[in-house]
Amino acid sequence: MKPFLSEDFLLHGQAARTLYHDFASDMPILDYHCHLPAQEIAENRKFENLTRIWLNGDHYKWRAMRTNGVPERFITGDADDYEKFQAWAGTVPRTLRNPLYHWTHLELKRYFGITGRLLNPTTAEEIYRTCSEMLHSDDMAARSILRRMNVKAVFTTDDPVDALEHHVLIRKDRSFPVRVLPAFRPDRALGIESPQWFNGWVDQLEAAADLPIGDFESLVEALQRRHGFFHEQGCRISDHGIEHPYVHDHTLKQVNAIFRKVRAGRPPEVAETLQFRSALLIELARMDFERGWVQQFHLGALRNVSSRGMNSLGPDTGFDCIGDFEMARDLARFLDILDRDARLAKTILYPMNPRDNELIAAMIGCFQDEAVRGKIQFGPAWWFNDHKDGMEGQINSLSNAGLLSCFTGMVTDSRSFLSYPRHEYFRRVLCNMLGNDLEKGEIPDDLDLVGNMVRDICYRNAEQYFGVGRHLSINDK
């Protein structure tokens, strides 16, 4: 019987072990999609205790705790930090075969050196005390964590109205070697189905862009101004969290009428919402192309399905799930509209529903061109798929229909500074799959050939794709 979480964890053969230890393990990390708060990096935050860095904001853990019958008071409520940690420690043994069990113990091992002890109610007090004391040291401040995990660049997730003042501070500090760059996330610009929320955001956009917004054209102009401001601050990537691509037929007259209706506080019809989103999404995609950005589309999440949870706790608290939206026809049309006008930016597509893996793997091959190797990417296994089976499924689909060798690799998609072992987890899964192929004679017995592909996927492809280290200098405009 193999020991749990040994240095050969998930590596089931000599070839897999060699690929991981000799080629993958020491590669840097380029985290091109995450939700780390730039303020905490700018201020080099030290976390008060293990709960603050590990449980706060982590809806993966919150969902597991709710399933285990933990009262909400000990999840997002007013219980003290140690009580919340005790509730998590009591849940961890119940997470066997969930990736949370692996991630939990990988993170305790990599950040705090805890080995040979599993987190449970018996070990909770000692682990909490040991880790919390370590978090008080300079070596465990936010910037130190990024350096010790060999992170070269972090792309945060930022609303167009954000001032990016913390990114400005980070960029001015030449002593900090990790690139921390914003990503332009204009989802709220598409949210006209809720006029009160949308209008409050448009008011913020008016102030940020210093432009009155009275029609669709001025909305686009305001977003263009903010797009330009983000570009000045080093942004080279947009991100969209949408249910499916929007390509409904519309005219400018119709879109302006819809915009005025919503600004007057009246909710749009479903068809009007789709028309407005279609018009704006194309404009945003054209902005990305004009400035040479990468555009990301996270597709297929069904959000806030529990009205009870949404009403009591708000969004991003663990009440989202996989949706079953139709993808192929609208996605093909959306990409084709941009491609036929030679205005299709580098694009990463992340399907939420694994049933769409083959669809995405096949679709990206239709829109590649000589502008860049792997211009259209099948994004890494995401959210409900960033586990062993999900990663293997994404890798197999991409391998079968495209070129795995061009893949830009893993992201954390996390709000926690302790999530970087997810890159290790992915690299172990990748090396195990390739190692198995090698040992079965399904790919050549050439460790340099296979190992260099591993290095490309782990870091080098992403470095080339995003241009980090080449043109994103501190003064780049």
Side-chain angles (χ1 to χ4, degrees), residues 209-269:
D210 192 22
L211 178 72
I213 300 175
D215 53 23
F216 181 76
E217 294 97 324
S218 54
L219 173 67
V220 172
E221 183 181 351
L223 286 165
Q224 180 73 261
R225 289 189 183 186
R226 298 306 295 168
H227 199 276
F229 170 73
F230 270 58
H231 189 84
E232 291 172 356
Q233 304 311 317
C235 181
R236 296 295 183 274
I237 189 167
S238 70
D239 185 32
H240 305 269
I242 58 178
E243 293 177 341
H244 55 85
Y246 305 116
V247 287
H248 281 61
D249 292 335
H250 59 271
T251 65
L252 180 58
K253 181 178 179 180
Q254 289 173 320
V255 174
N256 267 316
I258 296 165
F259 180 77
R260 287 192 294 270
K261 176 180 180 178
V262 175
R263 287 295 275 165
R266 291 178 289 143
E269 303 294 331

Side-chain angles (χ1 to χ4, degrees), residues 33 51 69-70 73 82 109 112 119 125 128 151 231 254 267 274 290 302 306 316 400 410:
H33 176 66
T51 296
V70 173
R73 176 173 177 262
Y82 182 59
K109 182 176 183 178
F112 304 102
L119 180 58
E125 182 177 359
Y128 184 82
V151 178
H231 189 84
Q254 289 173 320
L274 294 173
E290 295 298 333
L302 190 61
S306 167
D316 302 321
N400 289 332
M410 192 57 181

Side-chain angles (χ1 to χ4, degrees), residues 320-357:
D320 304 336
C321 66
I322 294 172
D324 58 352
F325 305 100
E326 184 177 347
M327 288 288 172
R329 193 176 304 275
D330 284 350
L331 178 58
R333 188 178 173 201
F334 175 76
L335 295 173
D336 186 57
I337 288 170
L338 297 166
D339 187 58
R340 73 191 182 202
D341 293 336
R343 299 176 78 177
L344 177 59
K346 289 186 285 187
T347 302
I348 306 176
L349 303 172
Y350 303 76
M352 170 67 79
N353 196 321
R355 67 155 198 201
D356 295 327
N357 280 359

Side-chain angles (χ1 to χ4, degrees), residues 75-311:
I75 303 172
T76 62
D78 61 0
D80 67 37
D81 288 343
Y82 182 59
E83 289 176 320
K84 290 179 178 178
F85 183 79
Q86 285 180 309
W88 170 238
T91 299
V92 169
R94 301 283 188 176
T95 65
L96 282 173
R97 297 207 84 241
N98 185 293
L100 282 167
Y101 197 81
H102 289 161
W103 295 346
T104 292
H105 293 99
L106 266 178
E107 289 163 14
L108 289 174
K109 182 176 183 178
R110 294 294 175 237
Y111 292 95
F112 304 102
I114 293 176
T115 59
R117 282 178 291 169
L118 301 177
L119 180 58
N120 56 49
T122 302
T123 62
E125 182 177 359
E126 180 186 0
I127 288 175
Y128 184 82
R129 183 180 66 252
T130 298
C131 296
S132 296
E133 288 175 357
M134 291 177 67
L135 286 168
H136 297 158
S137 72
D138 291 342
D139 289 341
M140 290 297 288
R143 294 189 181 196
S144 297
I145 289 173
L146 294 176
R147 283 193 294 259
R148 69 183 289 191
M149 296 307 292
N150 203 15
V151 178
K152 298 301 183 183
V154 170
F155 290 48
T156 60
T157 303
D158 307 276
D159 192 281
V161 303
D162 289 348
L164 303 183
E165 68 271 24
H166 300 108
H167 287 87
V168 173
L169 291 172
I170 296 167
R171 292 184 73 197
K172 288 180 177 179
D173 184 355
R174 295 177 180 270
S175 67
F176 184 52
V178 181
R179 298 291 181 87
V180 181
L181 302 170
F184 190 78
R185 178 83 173 232
D187 289 0
R188 292 171 71 188
L190 302 173
I192 62 168
E193 72 281 5
S194 301
Q196 182 178 358
W197 284 26
F198 177 76
N199 288 328
W201 179 82
V202 172
D203 293 342
Q204 291 179 284
L205 180 62
E206 283 185 323
D210 192 22
L211 178 72
I213 300 175
D215 53 23
F216 181 76
E217 294 97 324
S218 54
L219 173 67
V220 172
E221 183 181 351
L223 286 165
Q224 180 73 261
R225 289 189 183 186
R226 298 306 295 168
H227 199 276
F229 170 73
F230 270 58
H231 189 84
E232 291 172 356
Q233 304 311 317
C235 181
R236 296 295 183 274
I237 189 167
S238 70
D239 185 32
H240 305 269
I242 58 178
E243 293 177 341
H244 55 85
Y246 305 116
V247 287
H248 281 61
D249 292 335
H250 59 271
T251 65
L252 180 58
K253 181 178 179 180
Q254 289 173 320
V255 174
N256 267 316
I258 296 165
F259 180 77
R260 287 192 294 270
K261 176 180 180 178
V262 175
R263 287 295 275 165
R266 291 178 289 143
E269 303 294 331
V270 172
E272 291 175 326
T273 297
L274 294 173
Q275 286 179 309
F276 178 87
R277 290 177 175 175
S278 299
L280 189 55
L281 197 62
I282 286 291
E283 293 294 337
L284 291 165
R286 289 169 176 162
M287 291 180 205
D288 291 342
F289 174 80
E290 295 298 333
R291 288 202 169 93
W293 287 15
V294 177
Q295 57 183 356
Q296 298 183 105
F297 295 95
H298 288 84
L299 302 165
L302 190 61
R303 298 181 185 272
N304 307 313
V305 300
S306 167
S307 56
R308 171 178 54 84
M310 177 63 179
N311 292 336

